[in-house]
């Protein structure tokens, strides 16, 4: 592999020149990725990893047709989007054809953050209202305007909630306020939004928008109950606001059954504004806001021209068109449905086997594995989740953990993810959880037998087994290269697992 620096030197240079708040995956033992192909990534030693993190490389890493489209257009022309060019209008036409008829006006940007920022501007200009309703644990981007409406971020820092921001409970039927045993959780969660609107109006405030991911990602792979969005849209529009559906993470066929995640909620639900980003350019910076003619005309009436130098440039649109072609020609939406259903089926079998798995939720190739210490109490297993992602990395599978408690394993791989990848992933997870649960079981036994009872220690054998990862999984293909163990990293993780 061609490298400019050794891994040690790359880490040292990163520490010297890259901002300390810019974190890397697997910070205790980062992976240095030098190339990727389809659903696989390779480090500087040639070790192969199954990528279950990257929803950015939507149609697969380095897809040759995407590369060819970018190169061909780049050799011909790339310029300011204010020049007349066919690519932007062709892409807008193709994109609009995937959406409900009233969503027909496009504004191109370079990132999901830019798209959501612009969506807020559109919403506020529409009726002159300012306030925004967002969901608990939501994340909508890194711009200041979006940090303000992202509890996932502002509640971790020193920022306080602004008076124009209203936070509604996330419609989580597993760990939320209204759970699966509630008679109508959709109505109950929507009533919370209605109450927020009424309280805001009583204080003389006016709602500009309700914004939500069609399926919440950073909040822990949350799927809203059926009927929730319809009721919320009714209440928000009744207050003069608009409904913004954030599809940055979950659009472009990822759910399998539909091209857009909001479409799962029925034909009677159509957002007023839809934002999209990450998968749109398969890693090329490209994003978009799509809205109605009425909202677009109101935005134009302000007299301020919207101008984005690179948004919708010829190369970006050529890449975007290639992505749309690949999704269709390779039936990646159908693959997401087929493989996603198979993956969920395999994971539910593991849930029946492993008490650490509290919930499996998701649609298509957007799946969350909620790890718990106690299935009845649903106590988040945060340290255990961190341990699992590191052990899975050793076995050649890249996962991340998210949610408010960092206990939900997130699966959002490239859309070319295959059935055999699902099997490999689940086999490795089974092995990791088996070893972990045995160690935790031995730890519990130690607590019971120890005197005094407050002393907690993992017996030596179980502790060593936990650190080493136990015996080799016989189902692992010998042809796959894997990383060796890192003693220092595991020592750190074992401390996290001690209670």
């Amino acid at each position: 592999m061609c490298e400019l620096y050794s891994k040690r030197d790359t880490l040292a240079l990163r520490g010297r020149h890259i901002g300390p708040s810019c974190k890397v995956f697997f910070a205790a033992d980062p992976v240095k990725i030098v190339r990727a192909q389809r659903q696989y990534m390779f480090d500087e030693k040639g070790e192969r990893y199954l990528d279950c993190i990257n929803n950015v490389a939507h149609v697969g890493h380095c897809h040759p047709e995407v590369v060819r489209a970018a190169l061909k257009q780049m050799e011909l022309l790339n310029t300011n989007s204010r020049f007349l060019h066919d690519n932007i209008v062709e892409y807008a036409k193709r994109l609009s054809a995937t959406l409900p008829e009233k969503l027909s006006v496009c504004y191109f940007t370079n990132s999901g953050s830019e798209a959501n920022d612009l969506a807020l501007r559109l919403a506020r200009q529409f009726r002159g209202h300012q306030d925004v309703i967002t969901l608990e644990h939501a994340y909508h981007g890194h711009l200041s305007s979006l940090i303000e409406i992202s509890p996932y971020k502002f509640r971790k820092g020193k920022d306080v909630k602004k008076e124009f921001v209203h936070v509604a409970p996330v419609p989580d039927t597993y760990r939320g306020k209204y759970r699966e045993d509630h008679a109508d959780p959709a109505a109950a969660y929507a009533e919370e939004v209605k109450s927020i609107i009424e309280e805001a109006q009583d204080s003389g405030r006016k709602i500009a928008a309700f914004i939500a991911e069609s399926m919440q990602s950073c909040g822990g792979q949350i799927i809203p109950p059926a009927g929730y969005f319809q009721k919320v849209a009714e209440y928000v529009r009744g207050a003069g606001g608009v409904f913004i559906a954030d599809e940055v993470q979950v659009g472009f066929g990822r759910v399998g059954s539909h091209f857009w995640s909001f479409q799962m909620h029925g034909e009677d639900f159509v957002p007023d504004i839809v934002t999209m980003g990450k998968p749109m350019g398969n890693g090329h910076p490209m994003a978009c806001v799509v809205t109605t003619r009425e909202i677009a005309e109101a935005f134009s009436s302000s007299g301020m021209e919207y101008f984005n130098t690179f948004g919708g440039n010829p190369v970006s649109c050529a890449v975007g068109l290639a992505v749309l072609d690949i999704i269709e020609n390779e039936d990646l939406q159908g693959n997401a449905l087929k493989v996603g259903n198979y993956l969920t089926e395999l994971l539910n079998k593991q849930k029946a086997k492993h008490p650490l798995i509290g919930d499996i939720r998701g649609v298509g190739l957007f799946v969350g594995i909620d790890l718990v210490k106690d299935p009845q109490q649903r106590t988040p297993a945060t340290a255990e989740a961190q341990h699992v992602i590191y052990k899975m990395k050793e076995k050649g599978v890249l996962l991340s953990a998210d949610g408010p408690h960092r206990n939900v394993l997130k699966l959002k791989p490239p859309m070319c993810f295959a059935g055999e990848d699902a099997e490999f992933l689940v086999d490795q997870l089974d092995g990791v959880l088996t070893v972990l649960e045995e160690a935790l079981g031995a730890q519990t036994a130690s607590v019971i037998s120890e005197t005094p009872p407050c002393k907690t220690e993992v017996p030596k054998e179980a502790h060593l087994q936990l650190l080493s990862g136990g015996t080799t999984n016989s189902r692992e293909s010998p042809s796959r290269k894997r990383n060796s163990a890192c003693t220092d990293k595991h020592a750190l993780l074992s401390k996290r697992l001690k209670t």
Side-chain angles (χ1 to χ4, degrees):
M1 299 297 171
C2 181
E3 297 179 84
L4 290 175
Y5 307 103
S6 68
K7 182 175 178 179
R8 171 184 276 186
D9 289 345
T10 300
L11 282 167
L13 285 167
R14 186 180 178 93
R16 187 181 306 165
H17 298 298
I18 305 300
S21 58
C22 301
K23 306 298 183 184
V24 295
F25 286 123
F26 311 105
D29 182 25
V31 185
K32 184 178 182 181
I33 296 298
V34 297
R35 70 182 181 91
Q37 193 70 38
R38 293 179 63 80
Q39 64 269 47
Y40 303 107
M41 305 183 84
F42 300 84
D43 70 10
E44 80 283 7
K45 297 177 182 178
E47 304 282 357
R48 190 179 85 169
Y49 298 88
L50 177 61
D51 180 10
C52 298
I53 291 176
N54 264 298
N55 59 337
V56 177
H58 193 64
V59 300
H61 290 281
C62 304
H63 195 292
E65 291 182 29
V66 173
V67 174
R68 277 195 295 269
L71 178 60
K72 182 179 178 181
Q73 183 58 52
M74 202 175 293
E75 288 179 329
L76 187 64
L77 172 73
N78 197 26
T79 188
N80 191 305
S81 56
R82 296 177 80 177
F83 286 102
L84 191 64
H85 196 274
D86 288 342
N87 284 9
I88 190 170
V89 295
E90 174 64 12
Y91 187 83
K93 183 181 78 171
R94 289 274 303 277
L95 185 67
S96 297
T98 69
L99 290 156
E101 185 176 358
K102 78 170 192 174
L103 294 169
S104 60
V105 183
C106 302
Y107 296 88
F108 290 96
T109 67
N110 306 290
S111 71
S113 291
E114 281 189 34
N116 281 330
D117 176 75
L118 179 56
L120 292 181
R121 288 177 60 193
L122 289 166
R124 285 170 168 154
Q125 178 63 31
F126 184 47
R127 299 203 190 281
H129 299 180
Q130 289 298 310
D131 288 27
V132 176
I133 301 173
T134 187
L135 293 177
E136 187 65 65
H137 316 311
Y139 174 65
H140 294 289
H142 62 81
L143 301 181
S144 296
S145 63
L146 303 172
I147 296 296
E148 290 174 345
I149 64 165
S150 296
Y152 178 83
K153 289 291 186 180
F154 74 66
R155 289 194 169 167
K156 291 181 179 178
K158 295 179 181 179
D159 293 337
V160 296
K161 184 176 74 66
K162 302 294 192 292
E163 63 179 2
F164 58 81
V165 177
H166 310 276
V167 181
V170 61
D172 179 0
T173 58
Y174 178 69
R175 188 175 277 108
K177 186 174 182 180
Y178 308 108
R179 301 188 176 184
E180 70 275 7
D181 57 354
H182 190 279
D184 190 351
Y189 279 117
E191 282 296 318
E192 296 279 345
V193 176
K194 183 180 180 182
S195 296
I196 287 172
I197 293 171
E198 291 171 347
E199 289 174 14
Q201 290 175 329
D202 288 345
S203 300
R205 308 200 66 86
K206 296 180 179 180
I207 303 299
F210 171 91
I211 184 170
E213 290 181 278
S214 300
M215 299 187 296
Q216 198 177 61
S217 181
C218 291
Q221 315 293 86
I222 305 300
I223 316 299
Y228 171 71
F229 280 164
Q230 283 92 332
K231 292 179 183 296
V232 168
E234 177 187 343
Y235 298 147
V236 171
R237 288 166 181 158
V242 300
F243 191 111
I244 303 171
D246 180 342
E247 293 266 340
V248 170
Q249 298 248 26
V250 296
F252 291 90
R254 178 159 293 277
V255 298
S257 59
H258 298 82
F259 199 80
W260 302 104
S261 297
F262 73 78
Q263 292 172 322
M264 294 189 304
H265 297 274
E267 293 183 2
D268 61 334
F269 170 67
V270 179
D272 302 293
I273 301 173
V274 177
T275 60
M276 52 198 74
K278 293 186 191 303
M280 197 171 181
N282 207 55
H284 183 91
M286 185 180 188
C288 189
V289 180
V290 186
T291 189
T292 65
R293 175 63 55 185
E294 183 183 14
I295 292 173
E297 293 292 348
F299 187 56
S300 178
S301 71
S302 70
M304 182 185 295
E305 178 185 2
Y306 173 71
F307 169 50
N308 189 314
T309 302
F310 300 111
N313 69 72
V315 171
S316 294
C317 289
V319 167
L321 286 165
V323 170
L324 290 179
D325 286 341
I326 294 163
I327 292 172
E328 181 179 352
N329 295 340
E330 298 184 8
D331 191 23
L332 293 184
Q333 183 179 332
N335 186 68
L337 180 63
K338 178 183 175 181
V339 177
N341 287 343
Y342 181 48
L343 174 60
T344 301
E345 177 187 333
L346 294 176
L347 288 171
N348 275 314
K349 289 179 181 177
Q350 294 301 311
K351 178 187 173 187
K353 178 180 179 182
H354 295 289
L356 269 172
I357 299 179
D359 191 33
I360 302 294
R361 54 181 177 265
V363 184
L365 288 175
F366 182 85
V367 180
I369 306 169
D370 198 312
L371 299 187
V372 297
K373 294 176 182 289
D374 183 322
Q376 279 70 46
Q377 297 298 318
R378 303 182 180 184
T379 310
T382 301
E384 290 83 351
Q386 298 305 308
H387 177 79
V388 167
I389 63 173
Y390 275 89
K391 296 300 290 184
M392 290 294 284
K393 177 175 74 75
E394 283 184 18
K395 294 180 178 296
V397 180
L398 302 181
L399 297 173
S400 62
D402 220 325
H405 307 287
R406 298 282 181 178
N407 69 304
V408 180
L409 306 181
K410 295 171 64 173
L411 306 178
K412 44 188 180 65
M415 296 275 281
C416 51
F417 196 77
E420 65 179 20
D421 299 317
E423 292 168 358
F424 179 73
L425 161 67
V426 174
D427 282 349
Q428 302 313 308
L429 183 62
D430 180 24
V432 168
L433 291 179
T434 297
V435 172
L436 178 56
E437 287 169 346
E438 287 173 358
L440 292 173
Q443 181 182 22
T444 302
S446 174
V447 173
I448 294 171
S449 61
E450 283 283 350
T451 303
C454 61
K455 184 178 179 182
T456 304
E457 186 176 345
V458 179
K460 187 175 180 181
E461 262 187 28
H463 187 68
L464 290 174
Q465 185 185 36
L466 178 61
L467 299 190
S468 67
T471 57
T472 303
N473 191 324
S474 62
R475 289 168 290 192
E476 182 173 344
S477 168
S479 65
R480 296 176 185 261
K481 290 185 175 182
R482 300 295 170 216
N483 277 344
S484 58
C486 174
T487 306
D488 292 342
K489 177 195 70 177
H490 288 307
L492 172 64
L493 290 172
S494 69
K495 289 178 183 177
R496 291 178 182 168
L497 286 169
K498 288 183 179 181
T499 53

